[in-house]
Amino acid sequence: SRREALLEAGQVRLRPILMTTITTVLGLAPMAVGWGEGSEVRAPMAIAVMGGLVFSTALTLLLIPVVYELLDRRDLVPAAANQAAIGAGAATDLTFGSGTGKPAGAD
């Protein structure tokens, strides 16, 4: 099921995401403490980067999967309308060619 897939993906990706976040935050800690000359300029930047990284990690691990599951439960496009669009030959491939701005295959 989708819920099981979300839970398994969370378990698989939890360790690498946390390791990356923790090492980066710990690497920025000396800069945030502000030792040495010029630290008054670098410390606010380090604190902002650390805060943003922790916040984005929380979003990645908690909020995004929850929002995905909630939106995935809802049938945003009715199945009959989706099948009618595909049956009528509607374009389903939204990839673009080599940066020209034209749809793939329109060259």
Side-chain angles (χ1 to χ4, degrees):
S1 74
R2 291 181 201 132
R3 184 179 182 91
E4 291 171 0
L6 281 171
L7 291 174
E8 182 180 345
Q11 290 174 352
V12 169
R13 297 300 304 154
L14 177 67
R15 182 175 178 209
I17 290 172
L18 285 180
M19 286 177 64
T20 303
T21 301
I22 290 169
T23 56
T24 305
V25 167
L26 290 177
L28 287 170
M31 189 186 304
V33 170
W35 293 321
E37 288 186 35
S39 62
E40 62 275 354
V41 175
R42 293 189 309 260
M45 179 192 65
I47 293 169
V49 170
M50 291 168 65
L53 187 59
V54 169
F55 183 71
S56 67
T57 299
L59 286 179
T60 300
L61 293 175
L62 301 173
L63 186 67
I64 301 298
V66 170
V67 170
Y68 177 79
E69 184 175 1
L70 290 175
L71 290 178
D72 198 38
R73 285 184 187 174
R74 298 173 59 200
D75 194 13
L76 298 178
V77 178
N82 193 19
Q83 289 299 325
I86 292 172
T92 57
D93 185 15
L94 300 177
T95 58
F96 286 85
S98 59
T100 61
K102 297 178 184 176
D107 297 334

